[in-house]
Amino acid sequence: MIAGIDLGTTNSLIGVMDAGFPILIAGEEGERLTPSVVHLPGPLVGRAAARLRVVQPANTISSIKRSMGRDVRFHGKNPEEISALILGKLKRDAERALEQTVSRAVITVPAYFNDGQRQATKRAGELAGFTVERIVNEPTAAALAYGLDKLNAKSKIAVFDLGGGTFDITILELNEGVFHVLATHGNTRLGGDDIDNALLSEIEIAREGDPLFTARLREAAIEAKHRLSLEEEARIELPFAEGETSFSHLLTRAGLERIARPIVEKTRGHCLRALADARLSLADLDQVVLAGGATRMPMVRRLVAALFEREPNTSHNPDEVVALGATIQAGILEGAVQNMVLLDVTPLSLGIETFGGLMNVIIPRNSTIPLKAGEMFTNAMPNQRSMLIKVLQGEREMARDNWPLGQFEIAFEPGAKGQARVGVQFEIDANGILHVLARDTKTGAEKIVAIQSAVDVSDEAVEKMLGDSVEHAFEDMNERILTESKLKASEMLAAVRHAFGIIDLSAEEKRKVEVLAREVEAAMESGELARLKKANAALDEGTQRLATLLVERAMEKE
Ligand code: ADP
Ligand code: MG
């Protein structure tokens, strides 16, 4: 039996297939949603921990998912270990309900999670005692839950996911029963929590000195917010708050919507950008589906309907669809559901650093996984004994602007410049985890590294990476061309020096080439691209005869 798990920023859920149907399992408290909150040193997880957040905020950790893959610690534990506590609770709940051990799982992650974050999620599952059969993208799981795998070939689906603290919009394409991510966008700091905060500051009686009161008020306000998704009015009531008098505040749906509007409106731009990235117009979309608890709000549904010019599919509980989809995926792996392959794409390009600090892309962004790709590299220096493979992720032309995922050295047989042949191969498995292989093709010596080092992904980093690459496209391209021109210049200068040593040229001819070479040096120094290109071309032209002589000489020798 394989469990499906939505390890959410705010809430987590677990499900299993039961006689061909996905069911979500309630915990001891009878709720299917487990707050993703951990209290230490306990450890206490879920609702119990969430209650302690008020009295012991320093010992209570929420939204750990934001830190996934980062090198941080809370009470001596890293994000994987804390996530493992949440997963462990889900596992125990499932085992209690099913009266059997549940040791295999499918876990979902946001589509924009990079390799480091996916690996960290997988390790969290392993720490909790699961064999992690697959890491699945949340929007893919949501689409599966809505049964969209039954749509026609080439159907396009938008998954609008507004949770507690994050917003994601993903465009999927269905092709022969397989989902492809066409584009993904969002904001890692946008969700229902922001509406709660705005609501609280509006009520304006949250008192700094009284955290218990503020916490009770927050809870009551959130409850009222939820009620307002169905009713027109809700009263926030705290009996005997503020000493003798009890607190009471009537909130209307219109009032809540006025407060929430600026927050909800922020989703609009991301949706438009995702569509643009996918090169689609509204008419191309076949379905729009909702995920995340905050999409229960009528105003969110209205915005989605207006923006996408159609009613969104609301046939499922939005805060449960990701877990349901994970469970269906688990069923597919078990063989309980008709076999269907699920494919995803790489959110950002992967490559290595090459000469001159350039990014050399091996797997471009939006490639369908699983896949393998490789390239041959050579040594820049004579007698070099090893090559440093720096694995990078990102869209920028210069290596330094991309994220380092890890690095290792591969030794090879020393030889003249350009003699070594090192093959570098990237393989992304079905879980989206990257394995890098480097091989000296002469000796067959090789090294395989599963990239373990986490990427420190700051908030909205993926989004920022994409934005930056567009913003700096022009400078980046210029810098790449300049770097490439400099590399070419160095190569030609070295070749000229070498040729002077073995070929006898007339003084006149030698002087001409020297003038051209000096101009190349000066142009390199100046960093002026146009001048360098011109100088390179002139030197290339001016050494034609020298090159011919070199070739002739080489042939004579043979
Ligand atoms: P996450 O994906 O971040 O773990 P969820 O999908 O569980 O989160 O969404 C949690 C958010 O949904 C919270 O902000 C919660 O207040 C909000 N939410 C849940 N139910 C409702 C409702 N009925 N009306 C409005 N908001 C809701
Ligand atoms: Mg979610």
Side-chain angles (χ1 to χ4, degrees), residues 6-11 65 138 161 163-164 166 291-293 319 322:
D6 170 7
L7 182 60
T9 310
T10 319
N11 294 302
K65 188 172 174 179
E138 287 165 12
D161 183 346
T166 57
D319 37 19
V322 170

Side-chain angles (χ1 to χ4, degrees), residues 8-11 33 163-165 192-193 196 222 225-226 229 292-294 296-297 319:
T9 310
T10 319
N11 294 302
L33 259 62
D193 296 349
D196 303 344
I222 293 173
K225 178 186 81 169
H226 291 184
S229 290
R296 282 216 165 92
M297 293 179 75
D319 37 19

Side-chain angles (χ1 to χ4, degrees), residues 398-418:
M398 303 307 293
R400 59 159 196 269
D401 295 322
N402 291 312
W403 305 331
L405 287 184
Q407 60 180 53
F408 63 95
E409 248 183 281
I410 173 99
F412 48 75
E413 276 192 349
K417 176 176 179 298

Side-chain angles (χ1 to χ4, degrees), residues 397-446:
E397 296 288 344
M398 303 307 293
R400 59 159 196 269
D401 295 322
N402 291 312
W403 305 331
L405 287 184
Q407 60 180 53
F408 63 95
E409 248 183 281
I410 173 99
F412 48 75
E413 276 192 349
K417 176 176 179 298
Q419 286 271 299
R421 285 279 176 273
V422 177
V424 175
Q425 189 183 69
F426 279 25
E427 179 175 4
I428 305 183
D429 65 21
N431 294 320
I433 288 169
L434 173 68
H435 306 268
V436 180
L437 174 147
R439 178 185 290 137
D440 177 353
T441 54
K442 258 196 193 158
T443 64
E446 67 177 25

